Amino acid sequence: MPEQSTQPEARVPGQAAPAAETVPEADQDAVVRAQQRARPAGDPAGNRIGVLVGGLILALVVGFTLGKLLGPAESPTAGATTGAPAAAPDPSAGGAHVHSPLASAGSEVGGLSVSSGGYTMVPAAAVFAAPGPQDLKFTINGADGKPVTTFAIMHEKPLHLIVVRRDMTGYQHLHPAMAPDGTWSVRADLATSGVWRAYADFTAINAAGTQTALALGADLTVAGDHRPVPLPAMAREAAVDGQTVVFEGTPVIGASQPLLFTVQQGGQTVTGLEPYLGSFGHLVVLRELDLGYVHVHPEPALVNGGVKFWMSAPSPGRYRMFFDYSVGARYAPRSSRSR
């Protein structure tokens, strides 16, 4: 099912979570050790572009003026909680993953630095001769300069890689495979010339068992004629593959507010949303100009058939929001390309 990407637009915000915690000895099964559990090179989840578990990617941009941001908060979530909660995280996974202040929906955004908290993202290559599919390889090095090979499972994966062009088009949510030496690899579609941003969102575990959740970012340059795409007009809905996603709620700077995303078809709310990566939806929010990264996760149950997030804006500005959801249990390669 080929992707149809539409782009409505945003000015927006989140809460900081603990940066680290210790994994109890009984929960050591929860971590991914490269030598034991590295994903084989042929795993489609790690090596096919834009394969969502039964789902769609919607690039949704919702815009607000600063006045609207600071105006009265809306309450889009009145009504019944519906649907069974998404499966709770595996107890052996050390509990639910909680993003650190550098990878949260808080007043701080992540992804602005290639190095933080004693960890560094080291791409094998950052310059590519021509647009097209590229094999991305990188390591996450510790303070000792050596690649880290032990990561906690967060949302069913040890590492999430978000790739987007600096004009906030071409969004892809990928899951690389890790080799025994700590090298991560995945094929990404750098389809147009220009500078792309790659965000590695992960929780590393050191020798003492301490978890550190981070989002590190690195630029990837694709040679050629660069023609940036301006952000589209502000809107509260976007259409994709015959469905319309509607956004309710108003982000506020410094105060967590509810945001509700509902999927509609033929004027009716789609009731068949399915868990994807452990929840009913994922929301990646990128800030214009510096591409500050915020990854927001929803409440465990649907609310009136919609996916409810809580978020506070990190600062004034325009933001593009990418909402990942699953419906229809269809496994289909998707271009994941925003235009």
Side-chain angles (χ1 to χ4, degrees):
M1 180 175 61
E3 174 181 338
Q4 300 173 20
S5 185
T6 62
Q7 290 151 59
E9 164 195 52
R11 301 187 179 258
V12 304
Q15 289 180 322
E21 61 180 293
T22 301
V23 180
E25 203 173 302
D27 290 337
Q28 291 302 308
D29 290 349
V31 305
V32 169
R33 301 187 185 279
Q35 65 272 26
Q36 296 174 353
R37 301 175 62 181
R39 191 180 300 281
D43 184 349
N47 292 278
R48 290 177 61 194
I49 300 302
V51 177
L52 291 184
V53 180
L56 307 168
I57 279 186
L58 174 68
L60 179 63
V61 184
V62 183
F64 304 93
T65 64
L66 181 57
K68 287 181 181 176
L69 271 175
L70 298 178
E74 299 179 28
S75 299
T77 57
T81 298
T82 60
D90 187 335
S92 69
H97 169 70
V98 180
H99 288 284
S100 75
L102 297 180
S104 73
S107 59
E108 297 295 330
V109 294
L112 296 177
S113 174
V114 75
S115 185
S116 181
Y119 295 90
T120 302
M121 182 181 181
V122 183
V127 178
F128 301 91
Q134 309 289 349
D135 292 320
L136 304 185
K137 295 181 182 293
F138 61 94
T139 59
I140 303 297
N141 291 358
D144 59 1
K146 298 178 181 179
V148 177
T149 59
T150 307
F151 296 81
I153 295 291
M154 59 179 194
H155 310 294
E156 301 183 356
K157 303 291 179 181
L159 185 145
H160 298 257
L161 187 73
I162 304 299
V163 179
V164 65
R165 204 169 75 153
R166 274 202 166 267
D167 60 3
M168 294 194 283
T169 62
Y171 172 85
Q172 295 159 71
H173 182 164
L174 308 173
H175 301 107
M178 184 174 66
D181 67 355
T183 299
W184 295 92
S185 60
V186 71
R187 196 157 176 81
D189 187 10
L190 307 187
T192 54
S193 299
V195 179
W196 294 69
R197 189 72 173 170
Y199 303 90
D201 190 340
F202 61 90
T203 298
I205 303 179
N206 67 14
T210 301
Q211 293 191 16
T212 302
L214 292 169
L216 303 179
D219 279 348
L220 308 173
T221 302
V222 180
D225 183 13
H226 176 214
R227 300 185 181 185
V229 178
L231 284 178
M234 297 183 293
R236 283 188 173 268
E237 63 181 48
V240 61
D241 291 334
Q243 296 176 337
T244 300
V245 171
V246 178
F247 166 83
E248 300 177 64
T250 300
V252 174
I253 297 171
S256 185
Q257 297 295 316
L259 312 179
L260 186 69
F261 287 80
T262 56
V263 181
Q264 299 180 358
Q265 190 161 16
Q268 302 295 318
T269 297
V270 174
T271 59
L273 294 186
E274 301 154 344
Y276 169 58
L277 297 175
S279 62
F280 283 108
H282 299 265
L283 186 64
V284 170
V285 182
L286 300 178
R287 185 169 58 192
E288 189 184 25
L289 301 180
D290 67 356
L291 267 66
Y293 170 89
V294 176
H295 194 173
V296 193
H297 296 279
E299 292 192 353
L302 297 174
V303 176
N304 290 332
V307 185
K308 179 181 176 183
F309 299 88
W310 288 86
M311 180 179 169
S312 73
S315 71
R318 291 200 300 175
Y319 293 76
R320 168 156 270 172
M321 300 194 291
F322 298 91
F323 175 48
D324 294 357
Y325 68 97
S326 172
V327 66
R330 287 177 285 191
Y331 291 74
R334 312 175 58 75
S335 67
S336 297
R337 188 178 304 170
S338 305
R339 284 192 284 271

